[in-house]
Amino acid sequence: MKIVKLEEIIGTDRDVEGPGWKSRRLLLKKDGMGFSFHETIIPAGAELKLWYKYHLEAVYCVAGNGTIEDLATGEVHDIYDGVLYALDKHDRHILRGGTEDMRLVCAFNPPVTGREVHDEDGAYAPAPEDA
């Protein structure tokens, strides 16, 4: 059994941030669960163009608001507390923070190692097999 406390993640190497996002990586590849699990904060007004071409991601909003735009269709969907979106086709998208910070709970498959940052396409590189 694993017990992970958010307050023990903050300020460690599992507390990662980049332009327009902050991610607390609660479970990583090395934890052996077959997925990684994160709490991600998107600040109000942020805009992130993303494309997880090597990962599937499910995201559940637990606070705040924003939108997600599907770049293949142009559809824009509101994100707020109680909404889940799943990037089940490696969807290119733009995630926009709304009027207040969004707090998101995310699962990635395959799991991330913990130190990934977005490349020029907005993707994370696939994790090496030995990571």
Side-chain angles (χ1 to χ4, degrees):
M1 178 181 297
K2 298 180 184 307
I3 306 297
V4 180
K5 298 177 182 175
L6 182 61
E7 68 256 20
E8 294 172 359
I9 299 277
I10 295 172
T12 72
D13 64 347
R14 289 182 179 231
D15 189 6
V16 181
E17 62 184 288
W21 59 275
K22 179 181 228 12
S23 182
R24 281 97 182 232
R25 277 81 189 270
L26 298 155
L27 292 173
L28 296 170
K29 181 177 181 177
K30 67 183 175 184
D31 295 311
M33 296 293 294
F35 61 91
S36 56
F37 195 75
H38 318 188
E39 176 191 69
T40 300
I41 307 298
I42 305 297
E47 182 172 298
L48 300 154
K49 187 173 184 181
L50 302 168
W51 178 27
Y52 295 120
K53 53 189 166 184
Y54 306 109
H55 297 85
L56 299 176
E57 183 189 25
V59 179
Y60 183 67
C61 182
V62 296
N65 62 67
T67 61
I68 186 167
E69 179 179 350
D70 182 335
L71 291 176
T73 66
E75 291 178 286
V76 176
H77 304 275
D78 291 330
I79 305 298
Y80 51 87
D81 183 11
V83 173
L84 176 137
Y85 65 88
L87 302 169
D88 61 338
K89 294 181 181 82
H90 305 283
D91 311 90
R92 291 178 191 241
H93 61 286
I94 298 175
L95 185 61
R96 294 182 178 96
T99 59
E100 47 189 73
D101 293 356
M102 271 192 296
R103 184 171 165 237
L104 307 170
V105 179
C106 315
F108 278 85
N109 182 15
V112 301
T113 63
R115 300 309 299 170
E116 289 85 353
V117 293
H118 298 104
D119 68 15
E120 64 278 353
D121 288 329
Y124 292 146
E129 287 303 312
D130 60 348

